[in-house]
Amino acid sequence: MDTLLQDVRYAVRTLMRSPGFALVAVLTLALGIGANTALFTILDGVFVRPAPGVNGGGRLVWVAQQYAGGNSTRMSLADLRDYRAGTAGVMEELAAYREVPMALGGDVPERIRGEVVTGNYFTALGVRPTAGRLFTGADDRTSAAPGVVVSHALWTRKMGGDPAAIGRDVVLDGQHFTLVGVAPAGFYGPALGERVPDAWVPVEAYRALMPRERVRMDGRGFSDFAAIGRLREGADVRAADAAVATVARRLEQAFPVEHDHVTASVSRVHGSAPAGNNDEPIFLFALGLGVTGIVLLIACANVANLLLGRAAARRREIGIRLAMGAGRTRLVRQLLTESVLLAALGAGAGLWVTVWATGLLLHRLRVPIPLSLRVDGPVLAATGGLALVTALLFGLLPALQASSPDVLPALRDGGAGAGSRSKLQRRFAAAQVALSLVLLVCAGLMLRSLGKAGSVDLGFTAPEKVLAVSHDLATQGYSPERAAAFGRELLERARAVPGVRSAALATSVPFGETWYGNGITLPGHEKDGMGEGGTAFTAAVSPGFFRTLGVALAAGRDVADADRAGTQPVAVVNETMARRWWAGESAVGKHFRIGGEGPDYEVVGVARDYRYMGLSEPIRPFVYLAAAQAPEEGRETTLLVRADDPAKVAGPLRQAVREMDPALPVYDVRTLAGYVEQQLEPKRAGGTVLTLFGGLALMLAALGVYGVMAYSVAQRTREIGVRVALGARAKDVMRHFVGEGARLAAWGIGVGTLLAAGVTRLLSSVLLGVTATDFATFAGVALLLAAAAVLASWIPARRAMRVDPMVALRQD
């Protein structure tokens, strides 16, 4: 222990004698360690820590059903009851929940995110209320005044956080509920979602008050509930998994249609990660860890270069210590102690970077859920581990080089080991250039992709002139007939607003969140499989939809006012569907069915393809039904208007809806250009993060090249003096050292290009209009790095030009 304390004291004194070196090294490590710890903090917050308010004691599990040819985490209420009975021996609770949009009544009605839950939902999660009570099994039984639990945020915003609000009346979807409790602050359920829920209502009350939902929710085929359970004390996941697998086999035998090849499994709840296939978020985090890991490696290489350069200045000191009997092991330990001290200081400063970088990442990635992120034991342990690893990464080789046992040359100050140190420094610098190129190419591809987004052919014209105004008639219990009358009147009012060129209604908006997919069968082929190739997206639209959107018809006609209930059901299909089902023929006049049942639709028109799911998504088959003939499709509806100035007509359109139904909330009032921008946000966020890290990597790489060249000039001062004394010109000296820097960069660029060519293939799925091996991006980044390396070499080269031969020759 005394020896260790002696090493630490000596390391502190040594670093205090070189404050400039210590400051640069600590700041470099702080950036590398801080960036990695920030991503670990987010990873820990999502996949390790329980969601806020959830107290599962490590016993929470997901119960998921998997369907043949797909992956689902949902089940029906009828199935849930069977799984409860079959797992009673291993599970204390098995609860379920389902997300539903709701209309919150009030002076200004608003659309909120609600969840329909079983009575034991909060009990299974171990949630405790902030005020009032939460649901119990008794709430699964309907009553005259069903209860509702609201979020802490809604309670604060709408009721001022008043505990006396418990027992008050809350109007949801036009129905009266009694406020029974308030969920804890920050609670959003067991898993991350798109938004924080605002209210929870019991399943049975929802079924009783929403007759249309009762019919759907009673069926085995309505697999829309996520199931989460709490294991009994002593029970393990394997026993629970075996129990649900047994239930799944029984259900397949009892209900062969709904449960054909359906299996079930149990998996532990990991933090607040959603159930099911988490490949995409895991991939994103892995990519992020790769990016920050590269930055850390560059930082380590940079500090290693600094240590190698500093070792040259300390070679006489080290030589004296070796001559006096110090063992090489003792010297290596002393030098590693200095490295660990630097890493510890860097980690301490990196914690501040962590707080800043975590906030930046969450802001740029637009995470909608308030993650429970804090610097605590696990984060500190990760930071300490990173500090130790970095100390070994950047400190071991310089320590071995510096403690070389060539004593006499060191005492003569003849530069013992200078050649090998110089080679190591060049390799470190070349590695920094290579790794920087990988990050900069990735950032460049993302930025190029964003630049190309503006030139992508959307298939519809002037999206900035088309305003979308969404409303959901289902939340107010509209009958099909009443909904149709509402739509006709709304269109009349909208078309009468000054500045509106055309208007239409649709159940789906390009780049929106609501899409309906259905199996398609042709007459005589009802028994054919309805796999990927037999499905199409469907939307109910009113006459004028294609004109409002700015989509041309390739053949036939649009849906018309004459296409009403009681007449031949008609549809317009897109070009992709026409090619897939009726290749080489005219689709107009052909017939098909949706789901193999129901009416026989006649194709009356073919619309040009347009992008409706994503800028980089392939265009898929699409069916447009006449809204008047598909009343069930027209509940959650969007009014689309093409206007000279959408901002000016937004207010009158809101007012028109309010006059028609004051209790109906209006939401997502924005142009189609706004929907397109929303699609670009993840790419823009990724581009920003990659650009920030790429810029940091470029700076560190340039410093690395500069350090190598500065060290080379310092080591070769006598040689430069001899060359100048023998007639070498200043520009020859300049050319020599700049050339060395350029060759070093060329090696790094060559290796980095090969690495980048492999890494960028991981980005292929998110690139738009740019290939993963885009020549312009690779060439541009290579030129940028080459220019940075030449500039970094030019500064030490200028110093070499000014070497006085007489002074240099007198050094020895």
Side-chain angles (χ1 to χ4, degrees):
M1 180 61 70
D2 291 340
T3 305
L4 176 61
L5 291 175
Q6 182 183 11
D7 286 344
V8 171
R9 286 194 296 269
Y10 185 80
V12 171
R13 288 197 302 270
T14 302
L15 293 178
M16 289 179 66
R17 286 198 297 268
S18 306
F21 159 79
L23 180 63
V24 172
V26 168
L27 289 178
T28 300
L29 291 171
L31 291 172
I33 293 174
N36 278 268
T37 307
L39 204 63
F40 172 82
T41 303
I42 297 175
L43 186 68
D44 179 62
V46 173
F47 289 100
V48 179
R49 296 183 186 178
V54 174
N55 299 286
R59 291 189 285 151
L60 292 181
V61 293
W62 295 109
V63 179
Q65 286 190 143
Q66 290 82 31
Y67 294 83
N71 182 32
S72 173
T73 62
R74 307 267 165 165
M75 65 177 61
S76 67
L77 286 176
D79 291 343
L80 177 71
R81 288 189 286 270
D82 289 316
Y83 282 110
R84 270 184 183 166
T87 60
V90 290
M91 288 194 196
E92 285 183 0
E93 302 283 356
L94 183 56
Y97 66 98
R98 172 195 167 210
E99 302 167 10
V100 292
M102 293 179 177
L104 177 65
D107 294 336
V108 180
E110 63 178 283
R111 179 182 169 95
I112 64 173
R113 177 178 179 248
E115 285 187 349
V116 178
V117 302
T118 55
N120 63 340
Y121 173 75
F122 293 105
T123 305
L125 298 181
V127 181
R128 298 179 179 86
T130 295
R133 68 171 180 85
L134 301 178
F135 299 142
T136 64
D139 290 283
D140 274 334
R141 296 184 291 273
T142 59
S143 63
V148 60
V149 172
V150 300
S151 68
H152 189 279
L154 185 67
W155 177 57
T156 304
R157 178 166 57 88
K158 287 289 188 180
M159 305 163 198
D162 183 6
I166 302 299
R168 289 182 187 171
D169 188 60
V170 177
V171 179
L172 295 172
D173 293 354
Q175 304 293 333
H176 293 267
F177 291 77
T178 300
L179 178 62
V180 298
V182 179
F187 175 74
Y188 51 76
L192 291 168
E194 293 180 357
R195 299 177 185 88
V196 177
D198 296 296
W200 294 265
V201 298
V203 165
E204 295 304 324
Y206 193 73
R207 290 172 72 249
L209 295 173
M210 302 291 174
R212 177 172 173 266
E213 290 295 323
R214 181 171 64 243
V215 173
R216 298 173 62 202
M217 290 166 61
D218 283 344
R220 291 268 175 188
F222 189 71
S223 300
D224 206 27
F225 281 85
I228 188 167
R230 178 190 288 267
L231 296 174
R232 292 188 180 277
E233 283 285 358
D236 59 20
V237 173
R238 285 179 297 180
D241 191 67
V244 301
T246 301
V247 176
R249 286 192 294 270
R250 280 205 309 264
L251 289 175
E252 184 176 17
Q253 294 172 0
F255 307 98
V257 176
E258 296 88 348
H259 285 268
D260 184 32
H261 292 93
V262 174
T263 59
S265 62
V266 173
S267 60
R268 285 200 181 275
V269 172
H270 294 290
S272 53
N277 187 357
N278 292 316
D279 288 346
E280 184 175 353
I282 289 173
F283 166 75
L284 291 175
F285 277 116
L287 183 63
L289 286 172
V291 169
T292 54
I294 288 174
V295 172
L296 183 61
L297 286 175
I298 294 172
C300 288
N302 205 300
V303 176
N305 263 340
L306 290 173
L307 287 173
L308 285 169
R310 188 163 173 268
R314 298 177 64 185
R315 59 182 177 267
R316 180 179 290 275
E317 169 205 336
I318 292 172
I320 292 173
R321 295 180 68 181
L322 286 169
M324 295 179 66
R328 191 182 186 193
T329 302
R330 181 73 175 82
L331 282 176
V332 169
R333 190 176 68 188
Q334 171 62 59
L335 294 173
L336 279 179
T337 301
E338 294 178 20
S339 298
V340 171
L341 181 59
L342 280 175
L345 293 172
L351 289 176
W352 179 85
V353 177
T354 296
V355 175
W356 172 80
T358 301
L360 174 67
L361 286 171
L362 291 180
H363 172 71
R364 289 305 305 162
L365 296 176
R366 297 185 182 274
V367 176
I369 298 296
L371 292 173
S372 175
L373 303 179
R374 57 186 181 273
V375 177
D376 58 4
V379 173
L380 290 174
T383 306
L386 280 172
L388 183 60
V389 170
T390 54
L392 294 175
L393 283 175
F394 72 75
L396 186 57
L397 276 177
L400 293 174
Q401 282 286 326
S403 60
S404 172
D406 297 327
V407 178
L408 292 179
L411 292 174
R412 288 199 304 267
D413 201 24
S420 58
R421 274 195 295 269
S422 179
K423 287 179 183 178
L424 265 180
Q425 285 183 297
R426 280 171 165 74
R427 289 169 184 165
F428 280 135
Q432 290 179 68
V433 172
L435 294 173
S436 299
L437 186 138
V438 173
L439 285 186
L440 288 169
V441 165
C442 290
L445 288 174
M446 291 294 290
L447 294 177
R448 287 259 296 164
S449 179
L450 287 170
K452 293 281 187 179
S455 60
V456 171
D457 182 13
L458 300 174
F460 49 88
T461 59
E464 71 282 359
K465 297 292 186 182
V466 181
L467 183 71
V469 182
S470 297
H471 54 280
D472 189 354
L473 299 177
T475 61
Q476 299 303 307
Y478 274 62
S479 66
E481 295 74 22
R482 190 181 167 206
F486 183 94
R488 287 193 297 270
E489 183 180 350
L490 180 58
L491 283 175
E492 290 176 6
R493 287 173 176 252
R495 288 163 182 161
V497 173
V500 172
R501 297 296 182 183
S502 62
L505 294 170
T507 55
S508 294
V509 182
F511 305 106
E513 297 177 356
T514 304
W515 300 103
Y516 304 97
N518 292 283
I520 301 296
T521 57
L522 304 183
H525 298 273
E526 287 81 4
K527 295 191 184 237
D528 291 355
M530 291 188 293
E532 181 66 24
T535 60
F537 287 98
T538 61
V541 301
S542 70
F545 169 78
F546 297 105
R547 182 173 67 257
T548 301
L549 202 60
V551 175
L553 291 176
R557 66 172 178 87
D558 194 354
V559 297
D561 291 328
D563 299 318
R564 294 187 175 277
T567 64
Q568 167 63 45
V570 300
V572 175
V573 301
N574 69 347
E575 293 175 303
T576 298
M577 178 163 175
R579 284 193 301 268
R580 180 168 295 182
W581 269 270
W582 303 287
E585 303 178 58
S586 172
V588 177
K590 296 295 192 295
H591 292 254
F592 67 91
R593 289 181 179 175
I594 296 177
E597 300 176 355
D600 193 335
Y601 289 92
E602 179 184 348
V603 178
V604 296
V606 178
R608 297 289 185 189
D609 284 336
Y610 66 85
R611 296 187 179 277
Y612 53 86
M613 290 194 67
L615 292 171
S616 56
E617 287 278 340
I619 296 176
R620 302 180 188 181
F622 211 107
V623 176
Y624 307 91
L625 307 175
Q629 296 176 335
E632 290 300 313
E633 295 279 359
R635 298 300 186 86
E636 190 172 348
T637 309
T638 298
L639 171 67
L640 296 169
V641 298
R642 182 171 288 273
D644 298 327
D645 188 347
K648 287 185 178 179
V649 304
L653 292 174
R654 282 180 180 272
Q655 184 60 30
V657 175
R658 184 161 177 76
E659 290 174 357
M660 293 171 63
D661 187 346
L664 182 65
V666 175
Y667 57 95
D668 276 352
V669 180
R670 49 181 165 156
T671 64
L672 291 188
Y675 280 91
V676 175
E677 280 297 308
Q678 186 180 22
Q679 282 278 321
L680 294 175
E681 271 302 320
K683 292 180 174 62
R684 192 168 283 117
T688 300
V689 172
L690 282 171
T691 301
L692 288 173
F693 284 125
L696 175 60
L698 175 64
M699 179 186 73
L700 292 175
L703 286 174
V705 174
Y706 169 80
V708 169
M709 300 314 300
Y711 173 77
S712 180
V713 169
Q715 288 296 304
R716 298 168 65 182
T717 300
R718 186 172 184 277
E719 174 193 333
I720 295 168
V722 171
R723 290 190 178 205
V724 173
L726 293 175
R729 295 170 299 176
K731 65 179 182 180
D732 295 326
V733 177
M734 169 70 77
R735 188 183 302 113
H736 174 77
F737 284 100
V738 170
E740 276 193 16
R743 285 191 294 274
L744 186 154
W747 274 104
I749 290 170
V751 173
T753 299
L754 294 176
L755 290 174
V759 171
T760 54
R761 296 184 187 279
L762 299 174
L763 299 176
S764 297
S765 60
V766 297
L767 295 178
L768 187 66
V770 180
T771 64
T773 54
D774 180 62
F775 175 78
T777 303
F778 275 74
V781 170
L783 288 174
L784 175 64
L785 278 169
V790 168
L791 178 63
S793 304
W794 176 76
I795 298 173
R798 284 193 64 192
R799 189 180 307 128
M801 288 171 54
R802 297 170 181 166
V803 170
D804 185 332
M806 297 303 296
V807 174
L809 290 172
R810 282 201 301 268
Q811 282 188 356
D812 274 356

